[in-house]
Every structure is written in structure tokens, then in C-alpha cells.
Amino acid sequence: MKHPIIIDTDPGIDDAAAISIALNHPDLDVKMLTTVNGNVGIEKTTANALKLTQFFNSNVSVHRGASHPLLSDIFSASSVHGESGMDGYEFPEVDASTLSSHNAVAAMYDLLINSKEPITLIPIGPLTNIALLLTTYPEVKTQINEIILMGGSAGRGNVTPLAEFNIYCDPEAAHIVFNSGLPLTMVGLDVARSSTLIHAKLEKLKSLNDTGRMLHQLFSHYRGDDFEYGINIYDAYTILYLLHPELFQIVEARVDIETTGELTRGATVTDLKSAYPNCTVVMGIETDIFEKIFFDALTYCK
Ligand code: RIB
Ligand code: CA
């Protein structure tokens, strides 16, 4: 059964891995990519999304989204992903005319409200677009199957001691999404940190296919946490969880977003004992199992 999905993204090196799998896997039907300000600015994240659809000769549409968080100042991760947001691989220049629209929220609304089946949203960047969608067009909620997002952490953060980047960038947007009442799965830092792929394991990418070589060059420039040891391909875990949920350890929890604390802003406060859980939290996977499903998924790519 093909899963119909929308990916909201801020490419982003780990976004590139997630999008590569999603655009090529036989069990996934990517309805559109929507871009958001995040790792780098909206012009670059949008150009990077177009580079990826062009790389795969994909006709999946790309729609430009929010250029700024709801309230926060812009916080860049160019130190992690490079100035372009996808440093390390020389993609051909993209034709800007291939951008389908400059209004991702309206595009998501039009697709959802006219869809014959509910669609799964896969946000892998700050949640600005998703919050705008749910507050501008609350009637689309009946057309959303679930939200599986990369963001947050049940434990430590990666921007501050308690805040993960996607949530830290736009905590108000995250608050809206986590309180939307929609079926929600948080794929936070925890699961990737439980299954970091060491650099020696990633060498296989070079002999896999063109996509493997592209990702290997990107990963070589990815300065995520623990990069001396290996790569946490955070965003890819959302897609692989959707494809193989049974392989992951999960817990039901109450997750609230800290939006005011001077030291805690952007924290996903995760109560594992709450009687009122609002989301599934993906906590772990065996490293060998993750490595297998990651490389198996890439075999569908060019
Ligand atoms: O904290 C990791 C997340 O922030 C990933 O989505 C990465 O691409 C960045 O957006
Ligand atoms: Ca991302």
C-alpha cells in the first residue's frame, strides 16, 4: 500500500537523505515538497529542494513556504550544513521556473481539501508552515492522516542543553502543532543518537549508486553533533519509521513545548508518565537494523 505524503523540509543534508528515499521508494507517494526557512534561508532551502527533484528527474512539485519563524529571530545552521545548506556535492544549477508556487500553505490546503484519501504530513524542518496551515485552514485536519515530524528530544537538545534545532527555531509553531489534537509522532534526536552510523559504515555509499555517492559527499561536509564519530541522519528516520514502524522502540507521552524560559525555550518537555499523552515518541532502533533499512531503501534510487 502506498503512503500518500507531503514532506515539509529545510534542506539540509539529512533532509536530502530523507527526500532521496521518499522520492524513489515504491511504498511512498510524495504528493509535494514544501520548503521552510530553517537550516539556511528560504531561497536556499527552496533551491536545494529543486536540486533534489532535478537530480532524480522527479515531477514532484516544490512549493516555497515561510521565510521566517512566527515570532523568533532567524537562527541558521549553515555551520552544520554549509553556506548552501547542502555543501559537498556540486548539483547543476536549478531552473527557478520549475518552482510550482510561492505559497506552500495554500498549496497544501488545495491538495488536502481535494484529496480522496487522508495524507500523512512529514515535517523535517521548523514547523512554521504546518502551524500556519492548521491555523489558517483548520478544516483540513480531517484530511490529515497523521503527522510524523523530525524534531524535539525526550532528553538533551542539540542547540541548547534542552532544545532541538527544529523546535528551537520556531517554538510557537511547535506549540500549535503539538496541541492540534492530530495523531502525532515525534521522531526526535533520541532515535538517531541510539543508532549513529559510524563513518566506516558510510563508505559503502560510494559503491552503492549515484545517490549513494551524492549522499556520501554531502555527509562528508555534515558537521552535525558527534560528527567525529559518525552521522546522525535525523530526518531519514521519519521516512524509515513510516515504512517500518514495527522495528522501532516507541513510547506514548505528553509533550509540551517551552516557549518562554530564558534557558529552556524550545524544549520538548516529555512526560512519559502522563495520563494524557498527545504523541508517540520514537526512542530507538538497533543500529544494525537501521543500517540495513537505510541502505535497502537507497537501492531504489538511481
Ligand atoms: O536537529 C536536527 C534537525 O534540524 C534536522 O531536521 C536538520 O535538518 C535540522 O533541520
Ligand atoms: Ca531538516
Side-chain angles (χ1 to χ4, degrees):
M1 183 265 272
K2 270 184 176 283
H3 300 275
I5 63 175
I6 293 171
I7 299 176
D8 189 70
T9 179
D10 63 334
I13 289 174
D14 56 329
D15 303 67
I19 292 168
S20 296
I21 294 170
L23 290 180
N24 296 285
H25 199 285
D27 295 344
L28 297 173
D29 177 12
V30 183
K31 296 297 188 182
M32 65 172 57
L33 300 181
T34 52
T35 60
V36 65
N37 164 76
N39 286 314
V40 289
I42 189 66
E43 298 303 336
K44 292 179 180 177
T45 59
T46 303
N48 289 340
L50 290 172
K51 287 174 188 173
L52 291 167
T53 53
Q54 181 174 271
F55 181 86
F56 293 111
N57 301 311
S58 167
N59 60 10
V60 168
S61 61
V62 176
H63 302 264
R64 182 190 187 278
S67 60
H68 196 285
L70 297 183
L71 290 179
S72 297
D73 293 334
I74 285 178
F75 182 82
S76 166
S78 56
S79 61
V80 173
H81 299 265
E83 276 308 305
S84 73
M86 284 194 327
D87 279 14
Y89 184 84
E90 285 306 314
F91 292 91
E93 279 306 307
V94 293
D95 174 358
S97 70
T98 57
L99 181 66
S100 292
S101 84
H102 287 75
N103 193 332
V105 173
M108 284 193 277
Y109 168 74
D110 288 341
L111 178 73
L112 288 163
I113 210 72
N114 293 303
S115 176
K116 293 181 176 55
E117 57 189 343
I119 293 176
T120 294
L121 303 188
I122 313 271
I124 53 177
L127 292 165
T128 314
N129 288 338
I130 310 303
L132 288 168
L133 172 72
L134 298 179
T135 50
T136 309
Y137 306 108
E139 64 271 31
V140 298
K141 286 186 178 181
T142 57
Q143 293 289 89
I144 296 172
N145 183 47
E146 62 175 328
I147 297 176
I148 302 174
L149 64 86
M150 194 282 137
S153 169
R156 312 286 293 168
N158 62 351
V159 174
T160 71
L162 290 178
E164 177 278 329
F165 178 84
N166 287 337
I167 309 299
Y168 180 81
C169 282
D170 200 337
E172 286 74 20
H175 175 83
I176 290 167
V177 174
F178 277 77
N179 289 281
S180 67
L182 285 166
L184 178 66
T185 298
M186 179 175 97
V187 183
L189 300 173
D190 321 90
V191 59
R193 287 172 169 171
S194 79
S195 50
T196 301
L197 290 187
I198 62 173
H199 292 297
K201 295 286 188 184
L202 294 167
E203 286 301 299
K204 287 189 296 187
L205 288 169
K206 292 192 282 190
S207 57
L208 185 66
N209 51 26
D210 289 347
T211 303
R213 282 182 282 279
M214 177 263 285
L215 291 176
H216 188 270
Q217 291 182 44
L218 292 177
F219 289 159
S220 303
H221 283 72
Y222 182 44
R223 293 294 176 264
D225 46 342
D226 304 332
F227 82 90
E228 311 83 14
Y229 169 66
I231 300 286
N232 293 326
I233 316 171
Y234 293 118
D235 292 336
Y237 285 77
T238 58
I239 303 298
L240 292 170
Y241 173 75
L242 176 59
L243 289 167
H244 308 287
E246 73 284 356
L247 299 178
F248 290 81
Q249 290 87 50
I250 60 172
V251 292
E252 300 304 314
R254 172 88 210 163
V255 177
D256 288 299
I257 311 299
E258 177 57 73
T259 57
T260 57
E262 184 184 345
L263 301 176
T264 57
R265 178 170 165 77
T268 43
V269 182
T270 304
D271 181 352
L272 301 177
K273 296 185 167 52
S274 171
Y276 307 101
N278 62 342
C279 86
T280 299
V281 179
V282 181
M283 293 299 290
I285 185 172
E286 290 291 324
T287 305
D288 294 348
I289 294 174
F290 174 73
E291 179 190 346
K292 180 176 187 322
I293 61 176
F294 176 61
F295 279 95
D296 285 354
L298 290 177
T299 60
Y300 293 105
C301 303
K302 71 171 206 179

